[in-house]
Amino acid sequence: MEVRSEYKRTELGIIPIDWGTSALFEVADCLDNVRVPLNEAQRRKMKGDVPYCGANGVLDFVNDFIIDDDIILMAEDGGYFDEYALRPIAYRMRGKCWVNNHAHILKAKPGHDQGFLFFSLVHKNILPYLASGTRAKLNKSEMRKIVVPAPPTEAEQRAIAAALSDVDELLGGLDRLIAKKRDLKLAAMRQLLTGQTRLPGFREEWKVRRLGEHATFLRNGVNPRAELLKEGKVKYLHYGDVHACKDVWLQPASLPCLPELKAASLERLQDGDLVLADASEDTVGVSKSVEVRGVGSSEVVAGLHTIAVRFDNSVLADGFKGYLQFCPTFATHLRRLAAGTKVYATNRAHIASVELCLPSIQEQTAIATVLSDMDAEISALEARRDKTSALKLAMMQELLTGKTRLV
């Protein structure tokens, strides 16, 4: 491909003619040797006041080294590289923090902008520099080989860093807003699902119901994912899909399919059916469930390690069933009965034995509407955050390669 006259080819690809490239340690100092060990008295005094940083970012406990500066941390080893694909794990810390010996500490040299260096490293493909072995490792000797772009002036570097920092601020603001909305939703669920707060117009006394007296359990499959197909007539709801679902309801359109012959004896799901995972790695996931929605003309069956239950609609309203998992009585009952060591299991008898104080169908519907509206607001914010994150990636590609110039 022909390169325009104002650009040139380099080991980093095509960059502006007036940009250069630099080895990492030409533009940054490695400060690994400046960690200051603290004695026991100092650790006790400072514990809880200073964030702890390691290869996996900012954690919530302390270690033996501390630094007070504007620094960049890069993960040295561990499974973090696999988790985040080809990108390095880089964090920028301003002010006092604890740093353990599984993170490299970097600081831009005079004449080079710290923010630009940080974003250059975040954007860098780190795979060629990792030492192989039991665990991937980024050695200091390999870091010397890392090459980063070098715009000719610090002013241009600062402009690029400022533009990307603005997007980071927007992302941070969205993260904080999403977290706040989630907290509000949790508080609303605690109040509404226990009757501590009643919605306007509802005063009828709640009634205790034994769920097994109003439930029909449906026959589920036992087929592992290896037997499933991408296309087919019968959608298959695996317990992994239950655990992975972020919502209280699930639409089957994106589910894999089970061959029709293997699905012949299985009962088909309908809108409003509740499907629980019968196995979880922790007690928190014991009550995890989804309410099926949007079945339409599709055929859907419950699969491996699931419990599918159809409740009497005069006792449990559609839209409300998915929130049962957040009812303290329901969740606590199943977790108390869950058996297992490494895997916690629940079963149909456990679910049938739940005794739950429930409002009228009308009040259930009203509660579900309020909570669903809150879910929709959170989903909209998450979608906005995802778009902003994609915009940031596009901006990094443009700005850190000089395709778009700011000065």
Side-chain angles (χ1 to χ4, degrees), residues 34-36 38 42-43 45-54 57-59 61-73 92-100 105 107:
V34 305
R35 297 184 178 100
V36 179
L38 302 182
Q42 290 172 313
R43 285 199 294 269
K45 183 179 179 181
M46 304 189 74
K47 185 175 182 179
D49 296 330
V50 180
Y52 166 87
C53 303
V58 181
L59 308 177
F61 51 91
V62 297
N63 202 266
D64 291 342
F65 305 107
I66 195 165
I67 189 168
D68 188 1
D69 207 342
D70 179 358
I71 58 173
I72 297 169
L73 302 178
R92 188 176 181 185
M93 298 298 299
R94 297 176 176 87
K96 189 171 292 186
C97 64
W98 302 81
V99 182
N100 75 12
I105 306 170
K107 185 173 178 63

Side-chain angles (χ1 to χ4, degrees), residues 286-303:
V286 166
S287 61
K288 186 69 173 75
S289 56
V290 292
E291 183 175 339
V292 178
R293 180 188 293 183
V295 172
S297 60
S298 303
E299 292 187 42
V300 188
V301 297

Side-chain angles (χ1 to χ4, degrees), residues 235-269:
K235 298 291 185 179
Y236 185 83
L237 179 52
H238 188 271
Y239 81 108
D241 300 310
V242 176
H243 281 300
C245 186
K246 295 181 179 180
D247 298 306
V248 298
W249 52 268
L250 182 143
Q251 291 186 331
S254 61
L255 294 175
C257 299
L258 185 67
E260 290 184 57
L261 186 61
K262 295 183 178 182
S265 63
L266 305 182
E267 294 177 89
R268 273 36 176 181
L269 299 179

Side-chain angles (χ1 to χ4, degrees), residues 107-148:
K107 185 173 178 63
K109 291 182 177 182
H112 301 278
D113 184 72
Q114 180 85 337
F116 180 82
L117 175 62
F118 167 70
F119 286 113
S120 296
L121 291 173
V122 170
H123 190 247
K124 186 71 180 176
N125 180 346
I126 206 70
L127 185 61
Y129 307 100
L130 297 181
S132 59
T134 305
R135 303 182 78 183
K137 189 175 182 67
L138 179 61
N139 296 316
K140 195 180 298 183
S141 59
E142 291 299 310
M143 290 176 67
R144 297 180 186 278
K145 303 175 184 178
I146 294 176
V147 177
V148 294

Side-chain angles (χ1 to χ4, degrees), residues 146-293:
I146 294 176
V147 177
V148 294
T153 66
E154 192 173 358
E156 184 170 9
Q157 295 179 29
R158 284 197 300 269
I160 294 171
L164 295 174
S165 294
D166 287 344
V167 182
D168 271 348
E169 283 294 322
L170 179 57
L171 286 169
L174 286 170
D175 283 338
R176 290 188 292 273
L177 181 57
I178 290 169
K180 180 180 179 180
K181 294 295 184 181
R182 286 174 177 164
D183 288 343
L184 289 172
K185 178 195 163 189
L186 287 174
M189 286 195 298
R190 282 194 294 268
Q191 294 294 313
L192 295 175
L193 295 176
T194 59
Q196 294 179 53
T197 296
R198 305 290 295 274
L199 293 174
F202 295 101
R203 297 179 180 177
E204 184 180 345
E205 186 177 348
W206 290 24
K207 297 180 181 179
V208 175
R209 307 279 191 173
R210 187 177 180 86
L211 294 187
E213 297 175 359
H214 310 281
T216 301
F217 292 97
L218 310 177
R219 190 180 303 111
N220 63 287
V222 294
N223 311 83
R225 287 198 183 276
E227 297 181 19
L228 305 183
L229 308 171
K230 290 184 179 180
E231 303 290 338
K233 182 180 179 181
V234 183
K235 298 291 185 179
Y236 185 83
L237 179 52
H238 188 271
Y239 81 108
D241 300 310
V242 176
H243 281 300
C245 186
K246 295 181 179 180
D247 298 306
V248 298
W249 52 268
L250 182 143
Q251 291 186 331
S254 61
L255 294 175
C257 299
L258 185 67
E260 290 184 57
L261 186 61
K262 295 183 178 182
S265 63
L266 305 182
E267 294 177 89
R268 273 36 176 181
L269 299 179
Q270 301 174 4
D271 282 358
D273 288 344
L274 190 70
V275 180
L276 299 92
D278 77 0
S280 174
E281 294 181 354
D282 53 44
T283 55
V284 174
V286 166
S287 61
K288 186 69 173 75
S289 56
V290 292
E291 183 175 339
V292 178
R293 180 188 293 183

